Amino acid sequence: MIRKITTLAATATLVAGALVGASAPAHAAANNIYKQCTDINDRKLTPRILESTDFINCRNIADVSPLSAAKNLRWLNLLGDDKTLKITGMSKLKDLGITTLHMGIGVSDPTFAFVKDFPRLTALSTGTTTVSSLEHIATLEDLDRLSMATSKPHDLSSLASDEKLTSLALDVGRSTVDMESIAALPSLERLTLFSDNAPSLEPLRKSTSLAVVEVHTETLTKLKKGQTYKIPAEIRNRYGAFTARAAIGWNPGTKNVRSVSSNGTGMAALSAGKESKLGQFWVTNTISLILHTPGKIDFTKPTVSKKTARKGQTVRATAARDKQSHSWNPVISKCSYQWQRNTKNIKGATKLTYKAARADVGKTLRLKTTCHPVAEVKDSFGFSANTKYSGAVKVRK
C-alpha cells in the first residue's frame, strides 16, 4: 500500500535493504537468524546477543523457530522484500513473553490465527495483510494498540471484551468503516484512519473515551519527466500549507510547497493537515499527495582506486553512499558486482576487489554494478534496476 511506501522512504532506519557497497541480501525466504536478524542497535545476532536482547528485527526469514532461544524477547519485527511471506515456527515462540509484534510484510494467513501463540501481546501491527477476520485478534486480552489493514467494515466492538484497547489504526482504503462499533470501544483514546474516502465521524460523538482522531487521505499521481504538478487551490485551502515529508531522487524543497517538477525517475510525498474539535475530541485531517515518475533507480557508482595497474596488483573499488536528503539508499534492496575485461565478464570476479591476472595485460578493466529497488517501490512506483560502470583501469606488465 502507498502509505507504507512513504513511511519507508521517510524512515530509512526501518529499511533493512542493503546500500551500495553492502553485501546483497537474499530475496527468497531463508532461515539464518544470524545473517538476517539484528538487535535494537542494528547489530547482527550472535548466540550471546540472542540470549540477552529484548528486541529483534528480521528480514526475509521464513522459519522463526530458532528465535525461541531469545528468552528475554519482548519486541519482534518481521520484515521482507517480497509481497507475501509464509512464516512458520510461530508456535515455538509461545513460551516467550513477546508483547509487541510488528509485521512489515504480508503474511499468508489473513485471519492471523498464529496470534494465539502470543497471548501476552499488548501491541500488534498486521502490516500490508488485509485482515479478513477479527476472530483470533479479539482473543488477545491484553491488547492495547492495534494497527491493521482491512477491506470490509468489521464489527470492531468484538475488541471491547477486555476493555484495554486504547489505540486503533485502520487502513481501510476505499472500504467503509463501522464507526458505530468503534464508538462502542470503552477505552479507546486514539483513532487513526487511513482512507481514500472522507468518512463521516458523526457516530464517534457517542464515544465516552476518545480524545484524538486522525484521518489520513492519500492520492497517487504519475508524472512524466519534465512535468510539473501544482497543488490545487481548493486542496491548499482545506488542508493548509504542504511540506515534503519524503523524497527519492527529487528535491521538492521542504516547507510551503506549492508545486513539484519531475526531473526524471523519483518520487515525492507532500503532506498537510488541519485540526478541529468534534464533541469532546480533537480531529486532525491530513492528506498526502504522492507524486512519482517510473524508471530506473539512481545510485552513486563505485569508484576504482587507480587508472592503471600491473599484473598481480589488486584493484579496489569503493562503494560510496549518496548523502543527499533525497537519496535512493533507503529503497535499494541489493547490488551485485561484476568485473569486466574489455567489456566481457570475468568469471568469478564478483567482489569489490580484483587481482589483475596475466590475461588482463594490455586490456582494460571496469566494474559493472547493478542495483535493484525493494519490492514496495518497484510495485507502487514502477522503479526498476539500473546498471552503472566504474572508470577504466588499464593493465600493464
Side-chain angles (χ1 to χ4, degrees):
M1 292 188 177
I2 299 169
R3 33 198 147 255
K4 180 184 175 185
I5 308 307
T6 55
T7 301
L8 177 148
T11 316
T13 55
L14 292 182
V15 181
L19 303 181
V20 178
S23 58
H27 268 271
N31 188 36
N32 191 329
I33 62 172
Y34 298 115
K35 288 185 178 180
Q36 295 167 254
C37 300
T38 58
D39 69 357
I40 196 170
N41 296 313
D42 203 29
R43 298 177 300 176
K44 287 187 177 180
L45 293 187
T46 64
R48 184 174 180 179
I49 293 176
L50 181 63
E51 290 182 1
S52 61
T53 187
D54 62 357
F55 177 103
I56 291 179
N57 187 81
C58 293
R59 177 171 285 271
N60 296 326
I61 191 163
D63 182 5
V64 298
S65 58
L67 296 178
S68 60
K71 301 304 181 184
N72 295 310
L73 185 59
R74 296 296 179 267
W75 186 310
L76 177 60
N77 286 346
L78 297 176
L79 310 174
D81 294 319
D82 298 317
K83 287 184 177 180
T84 303
L85 188 63
K86 185 175 182 179
I87 300 174
T88 62
M90 288 290 203
S91 61
K92 301 294 184 182
L93 309 183
K94 63 182 179 181
D95 293 329
L96 304 181
I98 296 176
T99 58
T100 299
L101 178 62
H102 170 70
M103 310 299 296
I105 187 174
V107 295
S108 57
D109 178 13
T111 70
F112 279 77
F114 59 79
V115 297
K116 66 180 183 297
D117 296 318
F118 301 88
R120 302 179 188 177
L121 280 183
T122 60
L124 172 64
S125 174
T126 66
T128 59
T129 302
T130 300
V131 178
S132 63
S133 170
L134 294 177
E135 176 186 356
H136 302 291
I137 295 176
T139 64
L140 298 172
E141 297 181 353
D142 295 322
L143 194 63
D144 173 67
R145 288 161 289 151
L146 173 62
S147 175
M148 70 176 190
T150 181
S151 60
K152 61 181 181 180
H154 292 288
D155 180 359
L156 294 155
S157 61
S158 62
L159 301 172
S161 59
D162 54 37
E163 298 188 1
K164 292 184 178 180
L165 190 69
T166 63
S167 177
L168 176 63
L170 296 174
D171 186 343
V172 298
R174 296 183 180 276
S175 173
T176 57
V177 185
D178 186 345
M179 291 295 188
E180 296 282 353
S181 67
I182 292 177
L185 296 172
S187 302
L188 190 66
E189 299 173 2
R190 177 180 290 271
L191 172 65
T192 303
L193 290 176
F194 295 94
S195 173
D196 295 336
N197 304 309
S200 172
L201 303 180
E202 283 299 318
L204 297 180
R205 288 180 179 273
K206 298 178 182 179
S207 172
T208 59
S209 58
L210 268 176
V212 176
V213 175
E214 298 173 324
V215 181
H216 302 278
T217 301
E218 289 190 357
T219 64
L220 180 66
T221 303
K222 182 167 68 174
L223 304 180
K224 295 179 180 179
K225 182 178 180 180
Q227 184 178 355
T228 297
Y229 174 87
K230 293 184 178 180
I231 302 173
E234 60 269 25
I235 293 181
R236 287 190 281 109
N237 292 337
R238 180 178 179 183
Y239 291 99
F242 279 78
T243 59
R245 66 184 179 94
I248 304 171
W250 298 350
N251 189 9
T254 53
K255 298 180 179 179
N256 198 22
V257 180
R258 289 174 173 259
S259 64
V260 174
S261 297
S262 167
N263 58 0
T265 306
M267 65 80 65
L270 312 179
S271 63
K274 285 186 175 181
E275 282 189 337
S276 60
K277 197 79 180 289
L278 181 64
Q280 83 283 3
F281 56 85
W282 284 95
V283 178
T284 301
N285 282 287
T286 63
I287 186 172
S288 291
L289 307 177
I290 316 300
L291 313 170
H292 72 108
T293 298
K296 294 181 179 181
I297 65 174
D298 196 12
F299 60 91
T300 303
K301 66 182 180 182
T303 56
V304 291
S305 58
K306 55 187 71 178
K307 294 183 178 181
T308 60
R310 295 186 181 276
K311 183 186 71 173
Q313 285 187 326
T314 297
V315 181
R316 300 180 184 278
T318 302
R321 294 187 178 186
D322 187 349
K323 296 182 179 179
Q324 300 179 95
S325 61
H326 50 287
S327 166
W328 284 90
N329 291 348
V331 295
I332 293 177
S333 171
K334 67 176 182 178
C335 293
S336 60
Y337 306 104
Q338 175 64 62
W339 285 96
Q340 295 184 327
R341 177 191 304 121
N342 284 0
T343 73
K344 302 296 183 181
N345 291 349
I346 301 173
K347 187 177 180 179
T350 56
K351 297 182 179 180
L352 284 170
T353 59
Y354 174 72
K355 187 175 183 180
R358 178 182 298 177
D360 301 318
V361 175
K363 308 288 177 51
T364 299
L365 302 175
R366 69 177 182 180
L367 180 64
K368 174 184 176 182
T369 301
T370 301
C371 290
H372 301 262
V374 296
E376 293 93 339
V377 297
K378 178 181 178 181
D379 296 335
S380 295
F381 303 139
F383 294 162
S384 58
N386 194 8
T387 297
K388 293 188 177 185
Y389 299 89
S390 70
V393 180
K394 187 71 176 179
V395 180
R396 300 173 180 173
K397 290 184 180 179

